Amino acid sequence: MANLFKANLLRKSYKVSNNPFKERHLEVLKGASFSINPGQTLAVVGESGSGKSTLARLLVGAEKPDSGQLFFNGENILEDKKFPWYKEIRMVFQNPRTSFNPRATIAQILAEPLLNAKNDNRIQIQQKIRQALELVGLRSEYAERYPHTFSGGQRQRIAIARALMLNPKVIVADEPVSALDVSVQAQIINLLLDLQEELQLAYVFISHDLGLVQHFSDKVLVMHKGVQEEYGPVNQVFSQPQSPYTQKLLAASAGYKKAVKD
């Protein structure tokens, strides 16, 4: 049986010089590979500049890799020009304040993916907006309000609702709780866990919080300067790290130490 979502040796570089006589490229992702199934969470960890955000952009189709393969239900979607990236694989950003149109109501923000898909009439769209808000623990009347009237945690709930509007199978979450207070972080993580169980979602969870990763994830991918240092079940990697970089990362993480002690 094929994995739901699988990457094989994804690589990505960017041009850093426009000199026509001496073109230079910087390789920021040097062969990332993983697989996840419905209901599983893959955490991607590493310091800034490790290639985590580049990997996220490749996974949601915002950019294309220089080489490698990306499979969805056994099909290489990099070769399928009609693959509905916008529907099957959605993104939740670190700070929804920057990804929301401040002049749009929540209803307009949530309706945008549905309008782009052109599959629903007005009544269906309104119904799905109400259902999505209720799914993330918000009242349906919030739909007519504007983003600035909500707290950070409420905005992140709205961002999650927007990601769910087209019933995706995979959610790529790029540091989705790092901008929130600790108490609110726990609420959002519990919401994500509940949604995962209810909808059998697969998460690619990008984070620097190793204590959270240990609690939240099934697998972990450790990256350093674009190189995949380690990959495997989170308990195995964290209890018996093979890479010196992973050992250093764990040793420096107070959250991880506390999680192990507890």
Side-chain angles (χ1 to χ4, degrees):
M1 182 178 177
N3 297 111
L4 172 65
F5 200 37
K6 179 179 179 180
N8 184 35
L9 297 175
L10 294 179
R11 306 179 77 96
K12 182 66 179 179
S13 61
Y14 295 99
K15 185 187 292 187
V16 293
S17 171
N18 291 321
N19 187 333
F21 301 104
K22 193 175 181 180
E23 238 181 41
R24 290 180 58 240
H25 290 80
L26 176 65
E27 191 172 28
V28 296
L29 194 63
K30 304 175 183 180
S33 301
F34 66 82
S35 65
I36 49 173
N37 285 318
Q40 288 188 330
T41 297
L42 167 75
V44 183
V45 303
E47 297 169 311
S48 296
S50 63
K52 303 188 305 293
S53 294
T54 298
L55 177 61
R57 290 193 294 272
L58 300 184
L59 298 183
V60 298
E63 297 183 16
K64 289 195 173 183
D66 299 334
S67 62
Q69 298 169 307
L70 192 58
F71 297 93
F72 186 87
N73 278 333
E75 299 292 328
N76 188 351
I77 57 179
L78 296 176
E79 297 177 352
D80 184 357
K81 294 182 179 179
K82 294 183 179 180
F83 178 75
W85 295 86
Y86 68 95
K87 179 180 179 182
E88 302 289 6
I89 306 166
R90 302 291 290 172
M91 186 90 170
V92 174
F93 296 94
Q94 177 179 6
N95 188 352
R97 183 193 291 270
T98 60
S99 62
F100 288 167
N101 180 351
R103 298 182 179 180
T105 65
I106 300 308
Q108 291 170 324
I109 290 169
L110 296 184
E112 185 178 0
L114 298 173
L115 293 172
N116 290 338
K118 300 179 180 178
N119 291 330
D120 300 286
N121 60 39
R122 182 178 177 181
I123 294 176
Q124 290 172 322
I125 289 174
Q126 291 175 341
Q127 182 181 14
K128 288 184 177 181
I129 289 171
R130 288 195 299 270
Q131 291 172 341
L133 287 173
E134 292 170 1
L135 193 63
V136 299
L138 296 175
R139 297 200 295 268
S140 59
E141 56 262 34
Y142 286 178
E144 300 310 315
R145 290 169 55 178
Y146 290 86
H148 73 272
T149 65
F150 294 95
S151 67
Q154 288 174 321
R155 281 194 294 267
Q156 197 60 292
R157 289 175 183 267
I158 294 165
I160 293 168
R162 180 175 61 177
L164 296 175
M165 291 303 292
L166 294 173
N167 301 314
K169 303 293 190 300
V170 179
I171 298 290
V172 179
D174 190 357
E175 299 275 9
V177 298
S178 63
L180 304 175
D181 293 337
V182 174
S183 60
V184 181
Q185 287 182 12
Q187 295 172 17
I188 297 300
I189 290 299
N190 287 333
L191 171 63
L192 290 171
L193 288 170
D194 290 342
L195 291 171
Q196 184 174 52
E197 182 177 0
E198 181 176 350
L199 305 175
Q200 281 298 287
L201 295 166
Y203 292 146
V204 178
F205 187 79
I206 297 171
S207 179
H208 66 277
D209 186 336
L210 300 188
L212 175 60
V213 163
Q214 187 180 36
H215 165 72
F216 185 63
S217 308
D218 300 287
K219 299 179 179 180
V220 62
L221 173 62
V222 182
M223 300 184 62
H224 178 52
K225 295 183 179 180
V227 175
Q228 179 171 315
E229 293 282 346
E230 283 195 65
Y231 164 68
V234 65
N235 290 334
Q236 176 182 315
V237 171
F238 279 17
S239 63
Q240 297 179 316
Q242 302 301 306
S243 163
Y245 175 75
T246 306
Q247 295 169 6
K248 177 182 175 182
L249 201 64
L250 293 173
S253 173
Y256 166 74
K257 290 177 182 177
K258 184 177 186 299
V260 171
K261 184 177 179 180
D262 294 347

